[in-house]
Amino acid sequence: MKQSDNLRHLIIAIDTGASAIKVVASLAGDEKCYPFTIDPFCVDLDDLHQSDRIPDPNLNFDHRSVWVGIDTKNYAIGNLAKSRYGICPSIKTLKSDSIVPKVAAAIAVAHRKFKLPSKFNLSISSVLPPGEHAYTTNVSTDLTMALRNIKTPAGKITPILQKLTINPEGYGILNWHRIYGAARNQDIGVIMFGYRNTSVLFSLGGQLTGLKSSDRGFHQVLEKISSLSGGGYDENDLARPVWDYLINNDESGFRNLSRSKNYELESSMIKNAIDKALTDYRLNLQNWLLGAMQKTDMIVLCGGNSEYIGNSFDSFLQIYARYFEGRGYMIQQHIGSTSIPSEITETGMAVRYLDIYCLWLELHCSFKKEVISG
């Protein structure tokens, strides 16, 4: 990796997900990483009324509210897009459609966090769903062009791009298991259960294969819960209460959703809707996975909702064991708790950060090797 003068070097891994833009960043050589999230909302200000097209230069700039300028366009990202412009996350659009401004926003926030000068070296690793793998070359070209010059609330920044990789979602965890985990010298399959979609990818004989995505993500569960409960709840409002109920058996979030004087009845209806929606979702998902699976030694379940869907796959793996040479699988946090730094676990979102943490770790180790060899 060629260094430009002796500029400081930002290493950053970014997942521009539908539930949150997840980021792990550090300065090259630092052992400690800095994880943060940005709300997933994004709007091209050119699409708005003329008076809203110029960003507020006095914006309280942080990881929740940021705008970036790329070429002649300006974008509002995160809470700013939601609170000022009323933008909702777009679940149906391709991730590749908005990855450029979201990556630029993550770089702007990290630039401010690390108090970098306007010019600095930059190495990036990001992800696309396996189903969007065909867009990798176009996205890489767009990012290379766009990140040369970024306008931010703190001023103009001009990163010098040293390294850019776009991997399929789940590749970070897959690669970790191949290098450090139980899948060394073995074939491995990864199932990534995300908010927007569910994806699969495999490494057979060291080669990536079988990259597929579907729209069977956690959002589909929330849509079904809203429909079955009769409450007309917004899926975005359901996400946290449903998650807390499934993971922690915590029903307190339902009270914030309540619209009825009979809270106990409404809460019971929501729980019944969750049970029904998950049963339908698991059956639907298993049917899709049957057509997506390939023969392999190990299956790793990844993504935020793998925590509560994992146990239901015991019977799935036993019934369809002919698809696997081995019957065991690991849920993603089994990369080993001692391998996950406290700055990741303390976010309370370790299962959602792990894929990009592993990608950051790959960048970090690559830089260390080059320093030693150099």
Side-chain angles (χ1 to χ4, degrees):
M1 186 184 301
K2 180 183 177 181
Q3 294 296 303
S4 297
D5 302 319
N6 290 312
L7 296 176
R8 298 171 76 185
H9 192 151
L10 175 65
I11 291 178
I12 190 165
I14 307 164
D15 179 359
T16 60
S19 62
I21 303 169
K22 297 173 286 290
V23 186
V24 177
S26 73
L27 294 180
D30 286 357
E31 295 297 326
K32 186 173 182 179
C33 63
Y34 170 61
F36 63 92
T37 61
I38 304 174
D39 287 341
F41 317 108
C42 176
V43 60
D44 181 345
L45 300 187
D46 285 353
D47 294 338
L48 304 177
H49 188 274
Q50 184 70 35
S51 61
D52 289 325
R53 293 181 183 177
I54 305 301
D56 181 2
N58 299 314
L59 173 73
N60 183 21
F61 173 33
D62 58 20
H63 70 282
R64 288 184 51 79
S65 294
V66 60
W67 61 262
V68 291
I70 301 170
D71 197 11
T72 61
K73 289 182 172 291
N74 294 308
Y75 301 85
I77 314 291
N79 187 59
L80 177 66
K82 180 182 180 182
S83 62
R84 178 166 177 178
Y85 302 107
I87 300 301
C88 295
S90 181
I91 300 299
K92 304 300 182 183
T93 59
L94 295 176
K95 191 179 234 182
S96 52
D97 286 345
S98 60
I99 190 172
V100 171
K102 289 181 176 181
V103 165
I107 292 168
V109 173
H111 170 268
R112 182 176 185 269
K113 159 67 181 177
F114 293 112
K115 300 178 180 178
L116 294 170
S118 61
K119 182 177 288 188
F120 55 95
N121 288 313
L122 174 66
S123 292
I124 310 172
S125 187
S126 192
V127 294
L128 287 173
E132 294 184 44
H133 182 67
Y135 293 89
T136 298
T137 300
N138 289 339
V139 167
S140 297
T141 300
D142 291 345
L143 281 170
T144 299
M145 296 296 294
L147 300 182
R148 293 175 179 175
N149 194 318
I150 307 170
K151 291 176 289 185
T152 81
K156 186 183 296 185
I157 60 176
T158 55
I160 300 173
L161 190 60
Q162 300 288 349
K163 187 172 185 178
L164 169 63
T165 58
I166 307 293
N167 296 293
E169 292 171 353
Y171 177 79
I173 291 173
L174 181 149
N175 199 46
W176 189 95
H177 278 286
R178 288 177 55 206
I179 297 174
Y180 305 106
R184 281 176 287 184
N185 301 316
Q186 296 186 49
D187 292 336
I188 180 174
V190 167
I191 307 175
M192 175 69 79
F193 301 98
Y195 185 77
R196 183 200 309 257
N197 49 38
T198 294
S199 302
V200 299
L201 65 156
F202 298 86
S203 175
L204 306 181
Q207 298 296 314
L208 276 182
T209 185
L211 281 69
K212 294 182 180 179
S213 295
S214 79
D215 61 357
R216 295 163 178 84
F218 185 50
H219 187 265
Q220 189 178 83
V221 178
L222 299 178
E223 287 181 324
K224 193 70 175 285
I225 293 170
S226 179
S227 174
L228 291 173
S229 63
Y233 309 108
D234 185 282
E235 290 86 358
N236 298 315
D237 295 333
L238 277 170
R240 175 52 62 184
V242 170
W243 183 268
D244 287 343
Y245 172 67
L246 290 169
I247 303 300
N248 304 315
N249 198 29
D250 179 3
E251 303 177 19
S252 61
F254 297 153
R255 188 168 294 279
N256 295 329
L257 293 172
S258 180
R259 300 175 179 177
S260 170
K261 293 181 179 179
N262 191 338
Y263 165 72
E264 298 300 331
L265 175 61
E266 187 173 10
S267 177
S268 177
M269 292 175 66
I270 294 174
K271 287 186 285 186
N272 289 338
I274 291 173
D275 291 340
K276 170 65 174 169
L278 274 179
T279 298
D280 292 348
Y281 171 68
R282 286 166 174 159
L283 179 60
N284 191 0
L285 186 58
Q286 286 180 7
N287 289 335
W288 178 78
L289 286 172
L290 281 179
M293 284 297 160
Q294 299 192 19
K295 206 170 186 181
T296 187
D297 298 318
M298 179 179 297
I299 293 293
V300 181
L301 306 186
C302 310
N305 50 341
S306 66
E307 277 200 335
Y308 66 81
I309 202 171
N311 291 337
S312 73
F313 275 77
D314 285 341
S315 59
F316 172 74
L317 292 179
Q318 291 166 9
I319 293 171
Y320 301 107
R322 66 182 181 274
Y323 287 90
F324 311 103
E325 292 182 355
R327 298 193 181 191
Y329 70 88
M330 290 181 289
I331 295 177
Q332 72 173 37
Q333 58 262 48
H334 286 180
I335 70 169
S337 58
T338 57
S339 301
I340 308 172
S342 60
E343 52 264 34
I344 297 294
T345 59
E346 288 171 359
T347 65
M349 295 171 53
V351 293
R352 296 169 66 190
Y353 268 114
L354 275 184
D355 192 37
I356 60 161
Y357 166 70
C358 290
L359 292 177
W360 171 85
L361 185 64
E362 184 179 25
L363 282 175
H364 172 70
C365 292
S366 174
F367 178 83
K368 287 177 66 176
K369 288 179 181 177
E370 291 190 8
V371 170
I372 293 172
S373 63

